[in-house]
Amino acid sequence: MPVLVLSGAALIGAVFGVAPALLPSRAAAAGGYAEPLPGCTVTDGDKIRCGDERIRLLAIDAPEMPGHCRRDRICAPGDPYASTASLGDALRGPLTIDRVGEDHYGRTLARVAGAKGDLSCWQLEHGEALYKANWENGLRVARTCPGSMIR
């Protein structure tokens, strides 16, 4: 019976776009994104490329590589090389994606999960990105990541 309850909670969460409160966030993140995502590489601390698709991780901002921060923008502080390496460490196992839209550069905005859980949560947990509530879409990342990571 508990498996049935948890499965039902996962189904309801998937339908409404929220991580089920009854499941641990890592398990919900890794199992909640239905579409497989093959052939991915890291671009920087908050972006990956999977084949021809450019993907911007939802609701986080990581340090920009040298020369990539426009003058009129306040960019995330930190080491862009460490942030990129951290995301590379999390890009393990089969990846799945939950696409939520497109940014003004034509990149897919999405939550992506792998063997290490949700990639946005991974970057937040390791201090390699900042949570951006105003970049959030339906509070998906806020609901997926443990509260202590969302600052």
Side-chain angles (χ1 to χ4, degrees), residues 5-14 17-25 27-29 32 143-144:
V5 171
L6 290 176
S7 297
L11 177 60
I12 290 168
V18 297
L22 298 174
L23 297 174
S25 62
R143 289 182 178 130
T144 302

Side-chain angles (χ1 to χ4, degrees), residues 3 12 18 37-38 52-55 68 82 93 98 101 121 124 134 147:
V3 171
I12 290 168
V18 297
L37 193 61
D52 291 334
E53 186 175 20
R54 298 175 307 145
I55 300 168
H68 288 239
D98 173 32
C121 296
L124 292 168
N134 57 330

Side-chain angles (χ1 to χ4, degrees), residues 25-127:
S25 62
R26 292 267 168 146
Y33 314 154
E35 192 174 338
L37 193 61
C40 299
T41 58
V42 174
T43 303
D44 67 16
D46 53 23
K47 292 178 252 346
I48 61 174
R49 179 180 284 274
C50 304
D52 291 334
E53 186 175 20
R54 298 175 307 145
I55 300 168
R56 177 83 160 70
L57 297 177
L58 187 64
I60 65 168
D61 190 21
E64 299 294 333
M65 295 304 265
H68 288 239
C69 187
R70 296 184 323 265
R71 285 187 191 172
D72 61 337
R73 182 168 174 239
I74 299 171
C75 292
D79 180 346
Y81 298 104
S83 182
T84 301
S86 174
L87 186 55
D89 290 344
L91 213 65
R92 302 279 184 247
L95 298 176
T96 54
I97 187 168
D98 173 32
R99 290 177 181 84
V100 298
E102 204 172 85
D103 71 7
H104 58 279
Y105 296 110
R107 297 176 297 211
T108 300
L109 292 171
R111 293 183 306 153
V112 177
K116 302 279 187 171
D118 181 274
L119 300 183
S120 292
C121 296
W122 173 273
Q123 287 295 80
L124 292 168
E125 181 180 340
H126 290 86

